[in-house]
Amino acid sequence: MPSISLKTPSASYDVTLGTSLLKTLRQRITRATGSRTSRIFFVTSPALWKLWGEAVTESFESATVLFLPAGESHKRFASVEKLLEQLARNGADRDSILVAFGGGVVGDLTGFLAAIYMRGIRVVQVPTTLLAQVDSSVGGKTGVNLAAGKNLVGSFHHPVAVIADIDVLQTLPKNELRAGLQEAIKSGVIRDPKLFSFLEKNADKVLAGDTKALQTVVDRSLRVKADVVNQDELENGLRMILNFGHTIGHAIEAATKYTVLLHGEAIGWGMIAAIRLAEQRGAMSEKDAKRVVDLIHRYGPLPAFKAKAERLVELSAGDKKNRGGAKRFILPTGIGTVEIVTDVTEDELLAATSAMLQEMSAMTKTKKQVKR
Protein backbone atom coordinates (compact mmCIF):
# COMPACT_ATOMS: atom_id res chain seq x y z
CA MET A 1 0.00 0.00 0.00
CA PRO A 2 1.28 3.53 -0.76
CA SER A 3 2.51 5.16 2.41
CA ILE A 4 3.33 8.82 3.03
CA SER A 5 5.42 9.77 6.05
CA LEU A 6 5.04 12.84 8.20
CA LYS A 7 7.99 13.77 10.39
CA THR A 8 7.67 16.93 12.44
CA PRO A 9 9.42 18.04 15.63
CA SER A 10 6.54 16.71 17.74
CA ALA A 11 5.25 13.70 15.82
CA SER A 12 6.05 11.02 13.29
CA TYR A 13 3.40 8.90 11.59
CA ASP A 14 2.37 7.34 8.30
CA VAL A 15 -0.57 7.89 6.01
CA THR A 16 -1.65 4.61 4.41
CA LEU A 17 -3.62 4.93 1.19
CA GLY A 18 -5.29 2.16 -0.79
CA THR A 19 -8.33 -0.07 -1.20
CA SER A 20 -9.93 -2.69 1.09
CA LEU A 21 -8.20 -1.16 4.11
CA LEU A 22 -11.26 -1.38 6.38
CA LYS A 23 -10.95 -5.17 6.36
CA THR A 24 -7.61 -4.90 8.17
CA LEU A 25 -8.33 -1.78 10.19
CA ARG A 26 -7.84 -3.45 13.58
CA GLN A 27 -4.41 -4.81 12.62
CA ARG A 28 -3.35 -1.46 11.21
CA ILE A 29 -4.41 0.40 14.35
CA THR A 30 -2.60 -2.12 16.55
CA ARG A 31 0.54 -1.79 14.42
CA ALA A 32 0.44 2.00 14.72
CA THR A 33 -0.33 2.13 18.45
CA GLY A 34 1.50 -0.88 19.83
CA SER A 35 0.29 -2.99 22.74
CA ARG A 36 -0.56 -0.03 25.00
CA THR A 37 -4.25 -0.17 24.13
CA SER A 38 -7.10 -0.54 26.57
CA ARG A 39 -10.21 0.65 24.75
CA ILE A 40 -11.07 1.87 21.26
CA PHE A 41 -13.72 4.50 20.75
CA PHE A 42 -15.09 5.34 17.31
CA VAL A 43 -16.56 8.77 16.65
CA THR A 44 -18.73 8.83 13.55
CA SER A 45 -22.08 9.93 12.13
CA PRO A 46 -25.15 7.69 12.29
CA ALA A 47 -25.65 7.64 8.50
CA LEU A 48 -22.03 6.71 7.79
CA TRP A 49 -22.02 3.99 10.44
CA LYS A 50 -25.14 2.48 8.91
CA LEU A 51 -23.22 2.13 5.62
CA TRP A 52 -19.85 0.95 6.91
CA GLY A 53 -20.19 0.03 10.58
CA GLU A 54 -20.39 -3.70 10.00
CA ALA A 55 -17.30 -3.70 7.79
CA VAL A 56 -15.38 -1.62 10.33
CA THR A 57 -16.19 -3.64 13.45
CA GLU A 58 -15.78 -7.02 11.77
CA SER A 59 -12.14 -7.23 12.89
CA PHE A 60 -12.71 -5.77 16.39
CA GLU A 61 -13.52 -7.87 19.43
CA SER A 62 -15.05 -4.84 21.06
CA ALA A 63 -15.28 -1.12 20.40
CA THR A 64 -17.48 1.68 21.67
CA VAL A 65 -19.19 3.85 19.07
CA LEU A 66 -20.02 7.50 19.80
CA PHE A 67 -22.20 9.41 17.37
CA LEU A 68 -21.86 12.98 16.11
CA PRO A 69 -24.65 14.27 13.86
CA ALA A 70 -23.47 15.19 10.37
CA GLY A 71 -22.87 18.81 9.40
CA GLU A 72 -20.71 21.81 10.19
CA SER A 73 -23.39 23.19 12.54
CA HIS A 74 -22.55 20.39 15.02
CA LYS A 75 -18.87 21.33 15.20
CA ARG A 76 -19.49 23.29 18.38
CA PHE A 77 -18.64 23.10 22.08
CA ALA A 78 -22.02 21.56 22.88
CA SER A 79 -20.98 18.49 20.88
CA VAL A 80 -17.55 18.44 22.52
CA GLU A 81 -18.99 18.43 26.03
CA LYS A 82 -21.53 15.73 25.18
CA LEU A 83 -18.87 13.43 23.72
CA LEU A 84 -16.44 14.05 26.58
CA GLU A 85 -19.13 13.02 29.07
CA GLN A 86 -19.78 9.85 27.06
CA LEU A 87 -16.07 9.00 27.03
CA ALA A 88 -15.88 9.40 30.80
CA ARG A 89 -19.04 7.37 31.45
CA ASN A 90 -17.76 4.56 29.23
CA GLY A 91 -14.45 4.32 31.09
CA ALA A 92 -12.08 5.91 28.60
CA ASP A 93 -8.62 6.32 30.14
CA ARG A 94 -5.24 7.67 29.03
CA ASP A 95 -4.45 4.48 27.11
CA SER A 96 -7.69 4.60 25.15
CA ILE A 97 -7.68 5.40 21.44
CA LEU A 98 -10.14 7.58 19.58
CA VAL A 99 -10.80 6.69 15.95
CA ALA A 100 -12.24 9.48 13.82
CA PHE A 101 -14.32 7.67 11.21
CA GLY A 102 -15.84 10.34 9.00
CA GLY A 103 -15.26 13.55 7.12
CA GLY A 104 -13.65 16.83 8.07
CA VAL A 105 -16.08 17.73 10.84
CA VAL A 106 -15.70 14.36 12.56
CA GLY A 107 -11.93 14.44 12.08
CA ASP A 108 -11.43 17.96 13.42
CA LEU A 109 -13.71 17.50 16.40
CA THR A 110 -12.42 14.04 17.31
CA GLY A 111 -8.86 15.32 17.12
CA PHE A 112 -9.83 18.10 19.51
CA LEU A 113 -11.43 15.59 21.89
CA ALA A 114 -8.21 13.56 21.86
CA ALA A 115 -6.14 16.67 22.54
CA ILE A 116 -8.07 17.71 25.64
CA TYR A 117 -9.42 14.48 27.19
CA MET A 118 -7.23 13.61 30.19
CA ARG A 119 -4.76 16.17 28.79
CA GLY A 120 -4.25 14.18 25.63
CA ILE A 121 -4.91 10.68 24.31
CA ARG A 122 -4.11 9.06 20.98
CA VAL A 123 -6.23 9.42 17.88
CA VAL A 124 -6.33 7.57 14.55
CA GLN A 125 -7.83 9.32 11.54
CA VAL A 126 -9.87 7.18 9.13
CA PRO A 127 -11.16 9.78 6.65
CA THR A 128 -14.24 8.83 4.65
CA THR A 129 -14.76 11.90 2.44
CA LEU A 130 -12.50 13.03 -0.35
CA LEU A 131 -11.97 16.37 1.36
CA ALA A 132 -10.78 14.67 4.54
CA GLN A 133 -8.59 12.24 2.61
CA VAL A 134 -6.82 14.90 0.55
CA ASP A 135 -6.43 17.44 3.32
CA SER A 136 -7.99 17.71 6.77
CA SER A 137 -7.07 14.29 8.22
CA VAL A 138 -3.36 15.03 7.93
CA GLY A 139 -1.29 17.62 9.75
CA GLY A 140 -2.64 17.60 13.30
CA LYS A 141 -4.99 20.57 13.11
CA THR A 142 -8.07 20.18 15.30
CA GLY A 143 -10.83 22.58 16.11
CA VAL A 144 -14.38 23.66 16.76
CA ASN A 145 -16.29 26.64 15.46
CA LEU A 146 -17.48 29.76 17.23
CA ALA A 147 -20.27 32.06 16.08
CA ALA A 148 -17.51 34.55 15.24
CA GLY A 149 -15.73 32.20 12.86
CA LYS A 150 -14.54 28.77 11.87
CA ASN A 151 -11.96 26.76 13.85
CA LEU A 152 -11.18 29.67 16.15
CA VAL A 153 -10.67 27.22 19.03
CA GLY A 154 -8.44 24.19 18.64
CA SER A 155 -4.97 22.78 18.99
CA PHE A 156 -2.28 20.89 17.12
CA HIS A 157 -2.67 17.21 17.99
CA HIS A 158 -1.30 14.78 15.43
CA PRO A 159 -2.85 11.37 14.85
CA VAL A 160 -0.74 8.28 15.38
CA ALA A 161 -1.87 7.05 11.96
CA VAL A 162 -4.05 8.03 9.03
CA ILE A 163 -5.76 5.22 7.10
CA ALA A 164 -7.49 6.34 3.89
CA ASP A 165 -9.56 3.68 2.12
CA ILE A 166 -10.50 4.77 -1.41
CA ASP A 167 -13.35 2.23 -1.47
CA VAL A 168 -15.33 4.30 1.03
CA LEU A 169 -15.59 7.10 -1.52
CA GLN A 170 -17.91 4.95 -3.64
CA THR A 171 -20.83 5.73 -1.29
CA LEU A 172 -19.99 9.44 -1.10
CA PRO A 173 -22.74 11.72 -2.46
CA LYS A 174 -21.70 13.41 -5.72
CA ASN A 175 -21.82 16.90 -4.27
CA GLU A 176 -19.42 15.87 -1.49
CA LEU A 177 -17.07 14.27 -4.01
CA ARG A 178 -17.05 17.48 -6.06
CA ALA A 179 -16.55 19.59 -2.94
CA GLY A 180 -13.53 17.54 -1.94
CA LEU A 181 -12.05 17.96 -5.40
CA GLN A 182 -11.89 21.72 -4.82
CA GLU A 183 -9.30 21.06 -2.11
CA ALA A 184 -7.37 18.90 -4.58
CA ILE A 185 -7.42 21.78 -7.06
CA LYS A 186 -6.04 23.95 -4.27
CA SER A 187 -3.12 21.56 -3.81
CA GLY A 188 -2.37 21.69 -7.51
CA VAL A 189 -2.45 25.48 -7.65
CA ILE A 190 -0.22 26.05 -4.65
CA ARG A 191 2.46 23.44 -5.24
CA ASP A 192 1.83 20.68 -7.79
CA PRO A 193 1.26 21.62 -11.45
CA LYS A 194 1.31 17.91 -12.40
CA LEU A 195 -1.67 17.28 -10.14
CA PHE A 196 -3.41 20.28 -11.68
CA SER A 197 -2.81 18.91 -15.20
CA PHE A 198 -4.01 15.46 -14.12
CA LEU A 199 -7.25 17.00 -12.87
CA GLU A 200 -7.67 18.81 -16.17
CA LYS A 201 -7.03 15.77 -18.36
CA ASN A 202 -8.90 13.18 -16.28
CA ALA A 203 -11.97 15.09 -15.13
CA ASP A 204 -14.43 12.56 -16.54
CA LYS A 205 -12.74 9.61 -14.81
CA VAL A 206 -12.35 11.46 -11.52
CA LEU A 207 -15.97 12.64 -11.46
CA ALA A 208 -17.15 9.14 -12.36
CA GLY A 209 -15.41 7.83 -9.24
CA ASP A 210 -12.74 5.81 -11.03
CA THR A 211 -10.71 4.19 -8.24
CA LYS A 212 -7.28 4.57 -9.83
CA ALA A 213 -7.93 8.19 -10.78
CA LEU A 214 -9.16 9.05 -7.29
CA GLN A 215 -6.19 7.30 -5.71
CA THR A 216 -3.84 9.42 -7.82
CA VAL A 217 -5.64 12.59 -6.76
CA VAL A 218 -5.54 11.66 -3.07
CA ASP A 219 -1.92 10.52 -3.23
CA ARG A 220 -0.58 13.66 -4.92
CA SER A 221 -2.68 15.97 -2.72
CA LEU A 222 -1.45 14.26 0.44
CA ARG A 223 2.14 14.54 -0.69
CA VAL A 224 1.70 18.28 -1.06
CA LYS A 225 0.21 18.50 2.43
CA ALA A 226 2.87 16.27 4.00
CA ASP A 227 5.74 18.16 2.38
CA VAL A 228 4.43 21.49 3.66
CA VAL A 229 3.64 20.24 7.17
CA ASN A 230 7.04 18.56 7.49
CA GLN A 231 8.65 21.95 6.86
CA ASP A 232 6.28 24.06 8.96
CA GLU A 233 4.36 22.11 11.58
CA LEU A 234 2.74 25.01 13.44
CA GLU A 235 1.84 27.31 10.54
CA ASN A 236 4.45 29.94 11.27
CA GLY A 237 5.17 30.51 7.59
CA LEU A 238 5.01 28.08 4.68
CA ARG A 239 2.00 26.13 5.99
CA MET A 240 -0.17 29.19 5.49
CA ILE A 241 -0.19 28.47 1.74
CA LEU A 242 -2.52 25.52 2.46
CA ASN A 243 -5.15 28.16 3.19
CA PHE A 244 -5.34 29.39 -0.40
CA GLY A 245 -9.01 30.24 -0.99
CA HIS A 246 -9.85 29.95 2.70
CA THR A 247 -9.83 33.65 3.64
CA ILE A 248 -13.03 34.40 1.73
CA GLY A 249 -14.14 30.75 1.80
CA HIS A 250 -14.40 30.72 5.58
CA ALA A 251 -16.15 34.11 5.48
CA ILE A 252 -18.73 32.64 3.10
CA GLU A 253 -19.35 29.75 5.49
CA ALA A 254 -19.80 32.12 8.42
CA ALA A 255 -22.06 34.48 6.45
CA THR A 256 -24.33 31.60 5.46
CA LYS A 257 -24.24 30.07 8.97
CA TYR A 258 -22.60 26.87 7.68
CA THR A 259 -25.90 25.65 6.23
CA VAL A 260 -25.80 26.52 2.51
CA LEU A 261 -22.48 25.27 1.15
CA LEU A 262 -20.17 22.38 1.88
CA HIS A 263 -16.69 23.43 2.97
CA GLY A 264 -15.09 22.61 -0.37
CA GLU A 265 -17.77 24.53 -2.24
CA ALA A 266 -17.08 27.64 -0.16
CA ILE A 267 -13.35 27.20 -0.80
CA GLY A 268 -14.06 27.00 -4.53
CA TRP A 269 -15.65 30.45 -4.45
CA GLY A 270 -12.87 31.67 -2.15
CA MET A 271 -10.24 30.54 -4.68
CA ILE A 272 -12.06 32.44 -7.42
CA ALA A 273 -11.98 35.59 -5.29
CA ALA A 274 -8.24 35.09 -4.72
CA ILE A 275 -7.72 34.60 -8.48
CA ARG A 276 -9.54 37.86 -9.20
CA LEU A 277 -7.35 39.65 -6.67
CA ALA A 278 -4.23 38.19 -8.30
CA GLU A 279 -5.46 39.42 -11.69
CA GLN A 280 -6.13 42.91 -10.32
CA ARG A 281 -2.57 43.06 -9.04
CA GLY A 282 -1.03 41.62 -12.17
CA ALA A 283 0.40 38.75 -10.11
CA MET A 284 -1.11 36.04 -12.31
CA SER A 285 -1.45 35.82 -16.06
CA GLU A 286 -4.89 35.90 -17.65
CA LYS A 287 -4.18 32.49 -19.20
CA ASP A 288 -3.35 30.82 -15.87
CA ALA A 289 -6.26 32.53 -14.13
CA LYS A 290 -8.67 31.21 -16.75
CA ARG A 291 -7.31 27.67 -16.42
CA VAL A 292 -7.83 27.68 -12.66
CA VAL A 293 -11.32 29.20 -12.73
CA ASP A 294 -12.37 26.86 -15.56
CA LEU A 295 -11.19 23.84 -13.56
CA ILE A 296 -13.01 25.01 -10.43
CA HIS A 297 -16.23 25.21 -12.41
CA ARG A 298 -15.51 21.91 -14.19
CA TYR A 299 -15.58 20.21 -10.80
CA GLY A 300 -18.64 22.20 -9.74
CA PRO A 301 -21.26 23.40 -10.02
CA LEU A 302 -20.64 25.64 -7.04
CA PRO A 303 -23.94 26.50 -5.31
CA ALA A 304 -25.05 30.12 -5.22
CA PHE A 305 -25.44 31.88 -1.89
CA LYS A 306 -26.61 35.23 -0.58
CA ALA A 307 -24.08 37.58 1.00
CA LYS A 308 -22.81 41.09 0.43
CA ALA A 309 -19.17 41.69 -0.46
CA GLU A 310 -18.80 44.13 2.45
CA ARG A 311 -19.99 41.48 4.91
CA LEU A 312 -17.58 38.88 3.54
CA VAL A 313 -14.66 41.29 3.82
CA GLU A 314 -15.72 42.15 7.36
CA LEU A 315 -15.85 38.49 8.36
CA SER A 316 -12.45 37.82 6.79
CA ALA A 317 -10.88 40.16 9.34
CA GLY A 318 -10.99 37.31 11.87
CA ASP A 319 -8.87 35.03 9.67
CA LYS A 320 -6.39 33.01 11.75
CA LYS A 321 -3.52 33.82 9.35
CA ASN A 322 -3.60 37.46 10.46
CA ARG A 323 -0.79 38.27 12.88
CA GLY A 324 0.08 41.46 14.75
CA GLY A 325 -2.55 43.47 12.92
CA ALA A 326 -1.20 42.43 9.50
CA LYS A 327 -3.73 40.84 7.17
CA ARG A 328 -2.11 37.88 5.43
CA PHE A 329 -3.44 36.63 2.13
CA ILE A 330 -2.43 33.69 -0.05
CA LEU A 331 -2.03 35.09 -3.55
CA PRO A 332 -1.64 32.75 -6.55
CA THR A 333 1.10 33.76 -8.95
CA GLY A 334 0.93 30.80 -11.34
CA ILE A 335 -0.13 27.19 -11.47
CA GLY A 336 2.04 25.60 -8.80
CA THR A 337 3.13 28.81 -7.08
CA VAL A 338 1.63 31.19 -4.52
CA GLU A 339 2.96 33.87 -2.20
CA ILE A 340 1.99 35.11 1.23
CA VAL A 341 1.29 38.84 1.08
CA THR A 342 0.58 41.28 3.90
CA ASP A 343 -0.30 44.43 1.98
CA VAL A 344 -3.74 43.57 0.59
CA THR A 345 -6.00 46.54 1.25
CA GLU A 346 -9.65 46.35 2.19
CA ASP A 347 -10.56 48.04 -1.09
CA GLU A 348 -8.65 45.41 -3.08
CA LEU A 349 -10.30 42.58 -1.23
CA LEU A 350 -13.69 44.21 -1.64
CA ALA A 351 -13.18 44.55 -5.40
CA ALA A 352 -12.07 40.90 -5.76
CA THR A 353 -14.98 39.64 -3.66
CA SER A 354 -17.42 41.77 -5.64
CA ALA A 355 -16.05 40.33 -8.89
CA MET A 356 -16.58 36.81 -7.53
CA LEU A 357 -20.17 37.61 -6.54
CA GLN A 358 -20.87 39.15 -9.94
CA GLU A 359 -19.60 35.99 -11.60
CA MET A 360 -21.89 33.91 -9.40
CA SER A 361 -24.84 36.15 -10.23
CA ALA A 362 -24.17 35.88 -13.97
CA MET A 363 -23.99 32.09 -13.76
CA THR A 364 -27.26 31.94 -11.83
CA LYS A 365 -29.04 34.07 -14.44
CA THR A 366 -27.69 31.87 -17.24
CA LYS A 367 -28.99 28.72 -15.53
CA LYS A 368 -32.46 30.27 -15.13
CA GLN A 369 -32.54 31.19 -18.80
CA VAL A 370 -31.54 27.66 -19.81
CA LYS A 371 -34.34 26.17 -17.67
CA ARG A 372 -36.90 28.40 -19.37
Side-chain angles (χ1 to χ4, degrees), residues 188 192-203 291 295 335:
D192 189 351
K194 289 185 178 179
L195 170 59
F196 189 91
S197 295
F198 182 87
L199 288 165
E200 284 182 314
K201 296 174 182 177
N202 297 275
R291 283 181 68 191
L295 192 62
I335 294 175

Side-chain angles (χ1 to χ4, degrees), residues 182 245 248-249 252 261 264-274 296-297 301-305 356-357 359-361 363:
Q182 298 297 333
I248 296 301
I252 291 170
L261 291 85
E265 294 169 339
I267 299 311
W269 285 120
M271 288 192 290
I272 290 175
I296 290 170
H297 289 311
L302 300 178
F305 61 92
M356 177 267 291
L357 290 174
E359 183 172 333
M360 179 182 66
S361 178
M363 290 178 62

Side-chain angles (χ1 to χ4, degrees), residues 61-320:
E61 293 180 6
S62 63
T64 303
V65 183
L66 308 179
F67 290 109
L68 174 70
E72 196 77 34
S73 61
H74 295 284
K75 193 177 170 184
R76 304 299 294 268
F77 271 108
S79 299
V80 172
E81 183 175 7
K82 181 179 179 180
L83 289 168
L84 288 172
E85 291 287 0
Q86 290 180 29
L87 284 172
R89 285 199 302 269
N90 282 280
D93 58 27
R94 297 198 71 179
D95 286 340
S96 297
I97 295 172
L98 284 179
V99 179
F101 185 72
V105 171
V106 168
D108 284 358
L109 193 139
T110 304
F112 186 61
L113 289 174
I116 62 175
Y117 186 73
M118 292 195 171
R119 298 189 177 91
I121 63 175
R122 292 167 294 169
V123 62
V124 174
Q125 293 282 350
V126 184
T128 62
T129 64
L130 185 63
L131 188 146
Q133 290 191 0
V134 302
D135 184 66
S136 62
S137 63
V138 174
K141 277 189 176 182
T142 75
V144 292
N145 301 334
L146 299 178
K150 186 168 181 174
N151 293 331
L152 291 182
V153 179
S155 63
F156 286 95
H157 188 72
H158 289 279
V160 293
V162 179
I163 302 164
D165 192 334
I166 299 297
D167 289 340
V168 181
L169 301 179
Q170 297 305 316
T171 59
L172 195 65
K174 292 297 182 183
N175 63 329
E176 291 198 23
L177 179 70
R178 290 173 179 269
L181 287 164
Q182 298 297 333
E183 286 279 6
I185 292 171
K186 177 203 76 175
S187 297
V189 173
I190 66 174
R191 211 166 175 83
D192 189 351
K194 289 185 178 179
L195 170 59
F196 189 91
S197 295
F198 182 87
L199 288 165
E200 284 182 314
K201 296 174 182 177
N202 297 275
D204 290 341
K205 286 185 178 180
V206 172
L207 288 170
D210 180 83
T211 300
K212 289 184 178 180
L214 286 175
Q215 185 159 329
T216 298
V217 171
V218 175
D219 181 78
R220 294 201 72 97
S221 299
L222 283 175
R223 291 184 188 280
V224 169
K225 181 78 177 274
D227 178 57
V228 171
V229 172
N230 285 342
Q231 296 182 62
D232 178 21
E233 179 184 12
L234 301 180
E235 200 174 58
N236 291 316
L238 178 65
R239 186 167 177 170
M240 290 183 188
I241 72 172
L242 296 172
N243 288 312
F244 166 56
H246 287 58
T247 299
I248 296 301
H250 281 171
I252 291 170
E253 289 183 286
T256 56
K257 302 186 185 301
Y258 305 100
T259 60
V260 178
L261 291 85
L262 296 171
H263 174 68
E265 294 169 339
I267 299 311
W269 285 120
M271 288 192 290
I272 290 175
I275 292 292
R276 298 310 176 211
L277 178 57
E279 283 186 300
Q280 292 169 17
R281 287 189 152 212
M284 191 177 203
S285 71
E286 184 178 336
K287 179 182 177 182
D288 283 348
K290 186 177 186 305
R291 283 181 68 191
V292 176
V293 173
D294 284 350
L295 192 62
I296 290 170
H297 289 311
R298 176 69 181 89
Y299 283 98
L302 300 178
F305 61 92
K306 293 182 180 180
K308 292 184 177 180
E310 292 81 2
R311 177 56 176 160
L312 296 179
V313 172
E314 178 187 357
L315 287 168
S316 73
D319 192 285
K320 298 186 299 301

